[in-house]
Amino acid sequence: MDKIFGKCALCGQEGELTFEHIPPNAAFNNHPIRSVSGDQIINDKGRLPWDTSGLKYNHQQRGMGIYSLCNLCNRNTGKWYGTTYKFMARAGHELLSNPIPQSHDVIRINNIFPLRFIKQVASMFCSINSDYYDLAALQQFVLNKEQRGLKDKDYKICMYFTRSNYMKYAPLTTLLFGTVDDSIAINVSEITAYPLGLLLYTDPIPQNDYKGIDITAFSEFDYNDKVSIEMPICIYEMNDLLPTFYRSKEEIINTTKQQEEWKVINAK
């Protein structure tokens, strides 16, 4: 394969780029996949989000990922943070593989390095957004393995668990909620890959209701802090292309039918 050159999504140096698994290949991302651009689905009116039949795809033999990091940044982030992400993914897999008693509303994860986990997450978001947005503060946070703290006014990182087999990279998107006269804008990027879904919010507003479990506080730990944590059991079904939309396939099909019926009625 021809070498790929560009700007590293973390250090910004121009040069040869290496393939970055997103998420790490040890976190259930080591099998062949077919990646499809979301534009193809959006532009094909009436096509359901999960229907990729007949669309042009990119066959990725090694798992999902992109050429986004220089060799040094790829090697360092994998060494510093990758193992902890795998640990969290395995914990999520265990949670979803067994019946969850209705009386249980939290999951306890022992012996986790919170700072390492959130830095791996931040690195992944830098990779999928490098062609679109300036995330300089997030890049610096990842590059300095000892640096602590994400400013709440700049970033909020949340996560959830999912049984979905679909993988999704959604670069930063501005979503408007509310009415024309009273709307709220939320800037969000999303990465979904079984068993974890991850959300990056930029310029979050405290009074807004954000999807997922807020793990921004993971950034306040030291690099070598190994702790036990408890977090709410938050499980979403992911079938939509847009970030923060978690509808079942049945809900999407019914909504699509209602939209088509509305078009027919208003066309008369």
Side-chain angles (χ1 to χ4, degrees):
M1 179 178 177
D2 293 336
K3 293 181 179 181
I4 296 177
F5 293 87
K7 182 183 291 187
C8 175
L10 288 177
C11 71
Q13 293 295 312
E14 295 278 355
E16 184 180 349
L17 298 178
T18 59
F19 186 81
E20 167 72 347
H21 280 89
I22 304 174
N25 62 347
F28 307 102
N29 186 24
N30 57 358
H31 54 275
I33 58 93
R34 293 181 175 183
S35 63
V36 175
S37 167
D39 291 343
Q40 294 186 76
I41 298 175
I42 293 172
N43 293 332
D44 188 350
K45 304 302 182 184
R47 182 184 286 268
L48 295 169
W50 55 85
D51 179 13
T52 61
S53 59
L55 297 180
K56 183 180 178 180
Y57 63 87
N58 178 24
H59 187 74
Q60 295 187 300
Q61 188 66 31
R62 297 182 289 174
M64 192 72 166
I66 54 179
Y67 284 85
S68 60
L69 301 183
C70 68
N71 184 58
L72 180 61
C73 286
N74 199 336
R75 190 168 65 246
N76 282 343
T77 54
K79 179 175 62 177
W80 294 340
Y81 316 132
T83 300
T84 298
Y85 189 96
K86 171 188 172 182
F87 186 90
M88 181 69 85
R90 295 289 173 179
H93 174 68
E94 288 297 320
L95 169 71
L96 299 175
S97 297
N98 300 292
I100 303 173
Q102 292 186 348
S103 59
H104 290 196
D105 56 5
V106 298
I107 177 175
R108 182 179 178 86
I109 302 174
N110 297 318
N111 301 317
I112 187 81
F113 293 96
L115 184 67
R116 301 184 192 187
F117 175 72
I118 200 169
K119 282 180 183 276
Q120 177 63 47
V121 172
S123 176
M124 291 155 55
F125 278 116
C126 286
S127 281
I128 73 164
N129 286 286
S130 62
D131 291 336
Y132 310 98
Y133 295 93
D134 179 7
L135 297 175
L138 207 61
Q139 292 168 329
Q140 186 57 41
F141 175 69
V142 174
L143 288 172
N144 183 350
K145 73 174 186 177
E146 303 289 348
Q147 181 178 328
R148 297 170 49 205
L150 285 173
K151 294 181 180 179
D152 290 341
K153 66 179 182 179
D154 293 332
Y155 306 110
K156 180 188 292 291
I157 294 180
C158 299
M159 66 169 280
Y160 59 91
F161 302 101
T162 183
R163 294 185 175 89
S164 174
N165 290 321
Y166 300 113
M167 301 179 76
K168 177 172 71 175
Y169 297 169
L172 276 164
T173 306
T174 299
L175 302 177
L176 294 177
F177 297 92
T179 64
V180 175
D181 297 324
D182 184 19
S183 62
I184 296 173
I186 294 179
N187 303 315
V188 59
S189 179
E190 183 168 5
I191 297 172
T192 310
Y194 174 88
L196 303 179
L198 305 159
L199 296 155
L200 169 69
Y201 298 99
T202 63
D203 302 314
I205 300 173
Q207 59 266 34
N208 283 355
D209 182 23
Y210 292 97
K211 297 284 188 179
I213 308 159
D214 188 351
I215 62 169
T216 314
F218 281 20
S219 68
E220 300 298 331
F221 288 86
D222 286 327
Y223 178 79
N224 289 316
D225 284 345
K226 181 190 286 189
V227 301
S228 295
I229 59 173
E230 286 189 350
M231 61 175 61
I233 296 177
C234 177
I235 302 174
Y236 292 148
E237 182 174 351
M238 196 285 292
N239 297 301
D240 277 278
L241 296 177
L242 289 175
T244 74
F245 282 73
Y246 307 110
R247 299 177 295 174
S248 68
K249 288 186 175 181
E250 183 179 5
E251 288 173 320
I252 294 173
I253 291 171
N254 289 338
T255 299
T256 301
K257 288 181 179 178
Q258 291 171 3
Q259 291 174 339
E260 292 302 317
E261 291 171 356
W262 183 86
K263 289 179 183 178
V264 171
I265 294 173
N266 285 272
K268 294 180 179 179

